[in-house]
Structures are given as C-alpha cells and as structure tokens.
Amino acid sequence: MRHGTRSTVDRLDRPSAYFNSRNKRRRDRDDDTANGDAPVEPPVDPLANATTLYVGNLSFYTTEEQVYELFSKCGEIKRLIMGLDRFQKTPCGFCFVEYYTHQDALDCMKYIGGTKLDERIIRTDLDPGFEEGRQYGRGKSGGQVRDEYRDDFDEGRGGIGRALQREYEEEDRYR
C-alpha cells in the first residue's frame, strides 16, 4: 500500500472478535507464567491459512443443501458441518464450511458474508478449524447462547426466545 492512501475495507484474514475474546484469558494466563529471561516468540496467527468458515445467523429451517449450493459458488467445499442443538439434535442456526484453500475461504467471506439466505442476513468469520464437539450449541437449553437471552419473536430462529419462553411457562404455572 502506498504511503498516504487509506483502505476503507477491513482485512478479511484478521482474527474475528469471537476468536480474540475466546483466547484472551488463555493469553493472559500465558503472560503470567512467562519467565522474564526467556525470549518471547511472536504469537502465531492460527487464521493466517485458515480454510474453515463459521457461518452464523442461519434460520433453523435452512437445509444443508441450501448452504452447500450457496457456498460452493466461491470454491470447492471439502466439508460442511451443520450446528445442532445439543439435546434435540436439530439445526440451531450456525454451521462450519471447510474449503480446500485459504483463498476460497477469503473469497467466500468477501462475496457471501452479509448476503441473505432464507430471508436472513448471514455472517461469516474465519475459523481456526473444526474440532469434534463444536457442532453443538453451547446454551443451557442445548441451542446457541444468544437464543437464551433473546426476548423477541423470530420465526426463523424457532419463535420466541428462551427468556420469554421461561416467563410464559412460569405465568402458566401460577394460573
């Protein structure tokens, strides 16, 4: 980049906010245990050659075939893992798409991130790689954590949020 010019587009190969917050505690812990005499190596960016994308804000009714059809427009897909509710084993609004090359993953973020699929704007982030167990939601009820605190009606994400659902159940119990 020439001196004096400024890019208006954020780099796509930088770690996402999710990745940074997830590893913050780990980095802080490592800093505490580091010996002052030992040379500190610069941290290796796990997303520098990442070929996996995290795709969020999917409808619960979006099928694997729909995701495959859209994301295969940016490159050959190696693997597609749909996010599932931990207890019911039903889709819960996210997936992982793994490409063969890092460039295909970047192209996908550039061209598909922020577009609509099933009337929902999807978001894409580079991911350091899929590990077994990450396909399940981390919320208390088995779905995504964000659905635990949602207090609106969203048909594409299963209706009312878990927070409102609990309130309605408690009201019914006292009637």
Side-chain angles (χ1 to χ4, degrees):
M1 188 186 301
R2 291 189 309 245
H3 184 70
T5 60
R6 194 174 118 212
S7 176
T8 58
V9 179
D10 290 336
R11 289 186 47 191
L12 296 176
D13 59 349
R14 288 188 9 220
S16 67
Y18 166 76
F19 181 79
N20 285 336
S21 66
R22 182 172 163 252
N23 289 315
K24 186 175 184 177
R25 278 182 258 121
R26 187 178 304 148
R27 283 192 305 266
D28 290 345
R29 185 185 67 227
D30 292 345
D31 288 345
D32 293 343
T33 59
N35 187 350
D37 300 334
V40 178
E41 294 181 22
V44 177
D45 183 8
L47 301 179
N49 293 312
T51 59
T52 306
L53 289 178
Y54 167 85
V55 182
N57 200 34
L58 293 173
S59 168
F60 286 9
Y61 308 106
T62 300
T63 64
E64 192 170 338
E65 289 79 19
Q66 288 174 295
V67 174
Y68 192 89
E69 181 182 344
L70 178 64
F71 283 80
S72 64
K73 295 180 190 299
C74 288
E76 191 175 353
I77 295 176
K78 184 176 185 179
R79 183 166 65 155
L80 175 67
I81 299 106
M82 294 296 288
L84 301 174
D85 184 293
R86 190 173 352 127
F87 303 121
Q88 299 171 356
K89 306 298 187 253
T90 56
C92 67
F94 70 95
C95 73
F96 296 95
V97 179
E98 187 175 349
Y99 287 97
Y100 283 98
T101 67
H102 178 65
Q103 190 58 49
D104 287 346
L106 290 177
D107 289 345
C108 182
M109 283 185 63
K110 183 176 180 181
Y111 298 117
I112 294 181
T115 61
K116 278 190 172 185
L117 178 62
D118 266 357
E119 299 303 315
R120 300 187 64 80
I121 296 174
I122 57 173
R123 60 178 285 236
T124 57
D125 281 315
L126 282 175
D127 191 82
F130 175 77
E131 296 169 7
E132 190 59 38
R134 289 189 63 206
Q135 73 268 33
Y136 299 115
R138 298 175 302 177
K140 293 178 214 166
S141 63
Q144 289 193 57
V145 173
R146 68 178 272 200
D147 290 322
E148 300 289 330
Y149 302 102
R150 192 166 45 82
D151 58 2
D152 60 342
F153 182 83
D154 188 347
E155 188 175 334
R157 294 196 69 84
I160 60 173
R162 302 275 193 262
L164 276 180
Q165 196 171 17
R166 279 192 293 271
E167 283 181 29
Y168 292 153
E169 289 170 359
E170 287 178 16
E171 287 175 10
D172 289 343
R173 196 177 310 148
Y174 293 121
R175 287 185 187 169

